[in-house]
Amino acid sequence: MNSFEYKNGSLFAEQVKLADIAAVVGTPFYCYCQSEIIFHFNAMKQEFADLSPLIAYAMKANSNQAIISLLGNAGAGADIVSLGELERAVAAGIDPKKIVFSGVGKNEKEMMRALELGIHCFNLESVPELERLNDIAAKMNVIAPVSVRINPDVDAKTHTKISTGKFDNKFGIPYIEANAVFKKIKNSSHLKAIGIDMHIGSQIIDLAPFDEAISILASLFKSLNENGHELEHIDIGGGLGISHGKNDKSPDLKEYAKIVRSHIKPLNCKLIIEPGRWLVGNAGVLVTKVEYFKQGASKDFVIVNAAMNDLLRPALYEAHHDILPLSKPQDNAEQMKVDVVGPICESSDYLAQGQYLNPVKQDDLIAIMSAGAYGAAMAGTYNSRPLITEVLVFGDKFETIRERQTIADLIALDNVPAWI
Ligand code: LLP
């Protein structure tokens, strides 16, 4: 599904002209298409129907309350990594029984609140974490349901910064230590092991690493249960990649499901999936305005009013995002090779490098595609640039789902001591 298409020369989000949204909310802004998010969720649900998985949306990809509510209403659970995400999920009406808690650094407050709410399980990542959880559960006089995140030492063949399944990454328990850790759980007074999980990385295009890693988890699951553990589920994490541009490859959902099924079906266990990017990535764009076209000595720059603080992915991961003008260029229009950069005072502030665009001029609007995941969620206020507006489109309607922060909001957060 592609919700962003040209109609009569203008780029639309579903049935709304993006330029019309810009006229109302100003630029830059994020725009998400509801139908596309639901389309992706339903596609995954259908593809895995025979395994009836819990699809726990990895809400770090896009944690706007409207998006969480939308996916929650469609039946999603949540994969959370902080107290903030836990409270957001609950506020969105997601049943705590559909929440899994990931992350290497869960603190006491987070554990207590999650136990109080009765989440589905904690995905444990270390022995000290296991001990802390047992102590807290004992104090609260409850049994904490746990899964152990297994580090299968598999290379996900993605960008190193988002690769998480090798022994030199901070994540999970090395699979060779799993037996000992499960024994420790069994001997803990207030923990009950109910599953094993993994997450080997993000934006994974080659499906072979999933095959390899899930196969390691599947044999572990079998042997653990043969040894008297009573595990119920395997959680295969997220990580399924998307295409961020017309030259990108993207993995096939059917192939992915086939691989998962081949390992999970014979075990007759429950399946949990934690997709983030795959559900929301292609359903969002960042719309920005051209401030200047600057001819440099060795390259040309399109200077826009969005920057790395709004969309960090190009600066942090050298990520490519296709860029489309809001007004459709002529079919035979020339293309120019440019860097698309923001106003921030450092050279890592780019949204595209060496990308071919149709000529643009001051005040033109352009859309940075596939920005629905890890865009707004990773935004900051560097250079005292307020967080930008987010808009949700549904059919021919649109509504602001995050107001633009004001400069006054930013200033008000600070305190100037009286002694200054
Ligand atoms: N489960 C766990 C435990 C995770 O850590 C993540 C993502 C996911 C699920 C969801 O992964 P996804 O399906 O979205 O690939 N900021 C980076 C991505 C970091 C992903 C971190 N963990 C980016 O913009 O590419």
Side-chain angles (χ1 to χ4, degrees), residues 54-56 75-78 86 89-90 93-101 114-121 143-145 194 233 270 272:
L54 167 62
I55 302 178
L86 177 57
V90 172
I94 293 184
D95 179 354
K97 284 272 158 282
K98 289 182 170 180
I99 296 178
V100 297
F101 199 158
L115 283 172
E116 182 183 284
L117 288 165
I119 63 165
H120 180 67
C121 76
I143 300 291
I194 62 166
H233 78 249
K270 283 192 214 153
I272 300 178

Side-chain angles (χ1 to χ4, degrees), residues 79-346:
D79 165 50
I80 60 150
V81 289
S82 70
L83 185 58
E85 288 193 351
L86 177 57
E87 297 298 357
R88 275 189 181 279
V90 172
I94 293 184
D95 179 354
K97 284 272 158 282
K98 289 182 170 180
I99 296 178
V100 297
F101 199 158
S102 300
V104 294
K106 301 173 197 79
N107 63 39
E108 287 186 14
K109 232 177 159 175
E110 291 172 331
M111 288 178 171
M112 280 166 66
R113 179 69 175 140
L115 283 172
E116 182 183 284
L117 288 165
I119 63 165
H120 180 67
C121 76
F122 293 82
N123 290 347
L124 294 180
E125 304 228 14
S126 68
V127 171
E129 184 194 351
L130 171 168
E131 289 165 348
R132 175 184 274 177
L133 183 61
N134 188 57
D135 289 349
I136 292 175
K139 270 189 215 136
M140 293 174 68
N141 201 20
V142 291
I143 300 291
V146 299
S147 157
V148 173
R149 176 166 174 176
I150 302 297
N151 183 323
D153 200 30
V154 167
D155 181 355
K157 302 205 176 76
T158 181
H159 192 281
T160 47
K161 287 188 183 159
I162 51 175
S163 189
T164 52
K166 291 286 289 173
F167 280 168
D168 54 3
N169 300 127
K170 68 179 174 183
F171 300 98
I173 300 278
Y175 70 95
I176 42 181
E177 291 164 25
N179 279 318
V181 171
F182 273 98
K183 231 177 242 162
K184 218 171 160 51
I185 294 173
K186 202 153 215 172
N187 294 332
S188 303
S189 55
H190 287 75
L191 302 180
K192 175 169 170 34
I194 62 166
I196 50 175
D197 63 285
M198 66 173 225
H199 175 73
I200 58 170
S202 193
Q203 185 51 20
I204 299 171
I205 299 296
D206 177 356
L207 295 173
F210 282 119
D211 198 10
E212 199 184 334
I214 300 171
S215 128
I216 292 172
L217 259 77
S219 46
L220 251 178
F221 182 93
K222 232 172 130 187
S223 74
L224 285 163
N225 277 2
E226 279 161 10
N227 287 320
H229 296 280
E230 290 164 344
L231 305 185
E232 296 158 12
H233 78 249
I234 296 187
D235 174 347
I236 57 168
L240 192 60
I242 61 167
S243 155
H244 290 87
K246 56 179 179 300
N247 296 325
D248 268 10
K249 278 195 291 188
S250 60
D252 182 38
L253 179 66
K254 263 201 170 19
E255 281 303 308
Y256 173 66
K258 210 165 124 188
I259 288 171
V260 175
R261 185 174 295 112
S262 72
H263 298 292
I264 302 294
K265 200 89 195 203
L267 298 175
N268 214 0
C269 66
K270 283 192 214 153
L271 172 67
I272 300 178
I273 320 175
E274 303 169 358
R277 187 190 322 265
W278 198 84
L279 295 177
V280 293
N282 283 327
V285 295
L286 168 59
V287 175
T288 179
K289 187 179 77 170
V290 175
E291 295 289 354
Y292 302 104
F293 179 71
K294 176 175 172 175
Q295 282 182 309
S298 66
K299 359 159 122 165
D300 294 334
F301 300 94
V302 173
I303 303 173
V304 298
N305 68 354
M308 65 186 283
N309 71 300
D310 304 306
L311 178 64
L312 191 55
R313 303 196 68 258
L316 197 56
Y317 317 115
E318 294 89 34
H320 168 92
H321 289 253
D322 267 9
I323 295 181
L324 295 179
L326 263 50
S327 294
K328 189 171 189 235
Q330 304 287 348
D331 283 342
N332 54 356
E334 57 174 312
Q335 293 227 307
M336 52 184 190
K337 190 177 179 185
V338 293
D339 281 11
V340 177
V341 301
I344 284 182
C345 300
E346 58 177 279

Side-chain angles (χ1 to χ4, degrees), residues 6-19:
Y6 287 110
K7 292 176 200 164
N8 300 322
S10 296
L11 192 60
F12 274 66
E14 300 195 20
Q15 291 149 45
V16 183
K17 208 198 247 190
L18 281 168

